[in-house]
Amino acid sequence: MPTPRLIPPTEIATSPALKRISSTGAKVYEIGSRSLNHGLQGVYAINGDIFRVFYLTPDGQAVIGGVLWEQDGHNVTRDTIAPIKGAVPTVTLTGAKAGATPPGQMRPAPDTTLSPEMVKRVKQASVGLVGQDGRPRLTMVIDPLCPWSIRALGELEPFITRGDIQLALLPIAINDYENGNASTPAATALLSVVPFEMEAAWQKIIDLHHAADDMPRTDEAALHLQQNMDVAHALGVRGTPTLIWRDKAGVSHVTEGLPGDIARLVRGLGR
């Protein structure tokens, strides 16, 4: 991924949108190419400890603030700001070691096989369980407030109901910078319940768009979240959902996003 380019004052002066963004004294960087950003100019504005991402309309007159997602759930914005020091935040958890490294340094391949060591680490992660024991297991790395994780849960529910799979939910928190630090308490709340109660807790969070104040928070949950973040880092997770599964030949795989043909993936799962 190319290093973001600091936009010079002479170029800012020619664009009404860029002039508005920089009018508060912010430094403005160009992130990604127009082709990568689906025809839009992406910019990253820093003013002290505050930063925001914007996408400029083709006429240069208006800006759209927020995160650019692709149809498969890939977070384009996260990839393009990753080279900027401090842009992708670390996570500090009470009761756990501080400074969790943001997971991954590059986007994983569409389908990557896992080493036996990584399979063992995934099995040691803290997860919630949805569906019958003994069914082929599909593990899904989620951020509880990620819209694509929520959508994936809905699309997988028919396969869970039919008994085709057991879904293991592996909570992490990587969207705090997008939602005002709401992902970490939401993930901690999920990791404070027993495995078969995690889906119900997540549904409550989905309905409220945040973790309710009365949801339990155990002392161990912060440590479990830190451990899950470490597993995600080792896997190279850069976005949620990320799926982990074993095929009928016993080979374990990891892929970012929900595949277009979920039924085909389910048919290929081994026990």
Side-chain angles (χ1 to χ4, degrees):
M1 184 65 60
T3 301
R5 177 180 68 93
L6 180 63
I7 302 177
T10 53
E11 186 175 334
I12 290 175
T14 65
S15 168
L18 289 176
K19 284 195 292 186
R20 284 197 298 273
I21 294 171
S22 63
S23 62
T24 60
K27 292 182 178 180
V28 184
Y29 294 81
E30 184 175 51
I31 53 172
S33 63
R34 290 180 186 269
S35 59
L36 182 63
N37 293 330
H38 297 269
L40 302 175
Q41 182 184 16
V43 299
Y44 177 90
I46 306 175
N47 192 347
D49 294 331
I50 301 172
F51 74 84
R52 286 199 66 186
V53 174
F54 300 93
Y55 292 92
L56 277 62
T57 55
D59 63 6
Q61 299 294 316
V63 298
I64 305 165
V67 179
L68 181 61
W69 298 87
E70 292 182 336
Q71 186 175 1
D72 63 357
H74 172 227
N75 186 330
V76 175
T77 301
R78 175 171 283 269
D79 277 357
T80 54
I81 69 173
I84 303 175
K85 184 178 179 181
V88 180
T90 58
V91 178
T92 302
L93 303 171
T94 302
K97 67 180 182 180
T101 305
Q105 295 304 315
M106 62 180 61
R107 186 182 179 189
D111 183 349
T112 304
T113 57
L114 297 182
S115 67
E117 179 184 354
M118 278 308 310
V119 171
K120 182 178 179 181
R121 292 196 64 178
V122 171
K123 288 181 178 179
Q124 293 172 340
S126 297
V127 300
L129 298 174
V130 190
Q132 304 171 31
D133 284 335
R135 300 289 88 196
R137 179 174 290 190
L138 177 64
T139 298
M140 183 165 71
V141 182
I142 63 166
D143 182 300
L145 297 178
C146 164
W148 295 100
S149 295
I150 296 168
R151 173 180 169 182
L153 176 65
E155 294 193 24
L156 290 169
E157 280 180 343
F159 300 95
I160 299 168
T161 301
R162 288 199 299 264
D164 295 334
I165 63 171
Q166 182 183 62
L167 182 65
L169 302 173
L170 197 164
I172 62 173
I174 58 173
N175 286 352
D176 279 326
Y177 76 106
E178 298 172 12
N179 56 35
N181 298 313
S183 285
T184 293
T188 304
L190 294 188
L191 291 165
S192 296
V193 300
V194 298
F196 279 102
E197 293 179 2
M198 186 180 288
E199 182 192 20
W202 191 16
Q203 290 292 353
K204 183 175 182 179
I205 290 170
I206 291 169
D207 292 341
L208 295 173
H209 306 294
H210 61 83
D213 292 338
D214 62 353
M215 297 184 80
R217 308 286 203 286
T218 66
D219 293 338
E220 294 81 8
L223 177 59
H224 291 161
L225 178 55
Q226 178 67 70
Q227 292 168 339
N228 281 4
M229 295 287 285
D230 289 344
V231 170
H233 182 174
L235 286 169
V237 170
R238 289 296 308 276
T240 53
T242 290
L243 302 181
I244 305 162
W245 76 97
R246 184 169 62 180
D247 63 26
K248 294 185 184 300
V251 178
S252 293
H253 303 257
V254 59
T255 188
E256 181 180 307
L258 199 63
D261 191 345
I262 303 174
R264 180 180 178 183
L265 171 65
V266 170
R267 289 193 300 269
L269 296 179
R271 295 184 185 274

